[in-house]
Amino acid sequence: MKEFYIDSDGIRLHAKLDKAEGVEKGPLCILIHGFTGHMEEDHIIAAQKAMNDVGVAVLRVEMYGHGGSDGEFKNHTLFKWMTNALSVVNYARSLDFVTDLYLCGHSQGGLLTMLMGGMCSDIFKGIIPMSPAWNIPEMAREGNMLEIEFDPQTIPEVLTKEGLELSGDYVRVAQTIHPENEIARFEGPVLIIHGDDDKTIPYEYGVKAKMLYKNAKLVTIHGADHCFEMHLEELENAIKDNFSYLI
């Protein structure tokens, strides 16, 4: 494992690279956590190990305002994450051992995966959205974020819930994003993994995403919540048993 930072317009992004044992040259998957998350969460580690087991190197990266990366959580936006992701993609493409490039993300990282899939459809061979929170822009336009209701035309300066603060700019940015456009642009294989007991991002969003993509497979983990707690082995198996779908 190699630990380092990737520069993104002056913002340091904390990263770790885990190569697959015995593989000198091969595919790499960029792996992104979710909203309030970080690279050491159990479900992120489970995904990393599963991909390493099938011969795929994994680059875990923490986005702006999360984990060991620069920036305050309060001030992060989806635009900042997208800029970060482009920097990470450029770094990954510079690695001489990489053949094919994949992207995997959980929750808000799953939304980022869907957005970047469309933006970089010529770069990624396949993508893996896990419990993808692609309803965030919809919620922002409806005026409901962090379970706080507000007038979507008059956005609060700050949203606060149980000590968690989020700038109104997060909402303003999210309102402009339409994931369906990027879903339509990506024609490569998509492996969606979603628990059917997810109370945070309802399972129906995984089902709908599968229907909208041109080439998608939905793996349902029965009884699993948003972070696949108590179902980590099933998450690992979902990736290992189905990664060939992306090749």
Side-chain angles (χ1 to χ4, degrees), residues 31-107:
L31 178 56
I32 308 296
H33 58 82
F35 184 85
T36 75
H38 55 85
M39 67 166 70
E40 305 295 349
E41 292 176 290
D42 289 343
H43 53 283
I44 298 297
I45 296 297
Q48 173 245 309
K49 289 180 177 178
M51 286 186 274
N52 283 168
D53 284 349
V54 295
V56 180
V58 177
L59 178 61
R60 288 176 285 152
V61 187
E62 292 169 333
M63 298 289 100
Y64 183 104
H66 288 69
S69 293
D70 290 346
E72 292 185 40
F73 170 84
K74 172 185 174 181
N75 297 324
H76 89 278
T77 68
L78 290 169
F79 282 172
K80 288 179 180 178
W81 274 34
M82 291 164 74
T83 297
N84 291 167
L86 284 172
S87 298
V88 174
V89 169
N90 288 333
Y91 171 80
R93 296 182 77 193
S94 75
L95 299 174
D96 57 10
F97 74 87
V98 175
T99 53
D100 298 313
L101 197 59
Y102 296 89
L103 179 61
C104 175
H106 174 257
S107 193

Side-chain angles (χ1 to χ4, degrees), residues 134 180 183-184 207-215:
W134 65 290
E180 296 86 351
I183 289 174
V207 174
K208 184 178 178 182
K210 193 267 182 188
M211 294 173 60
L212 290 177
Y213 274 111
K214 298 179 180 71
N215 182 12

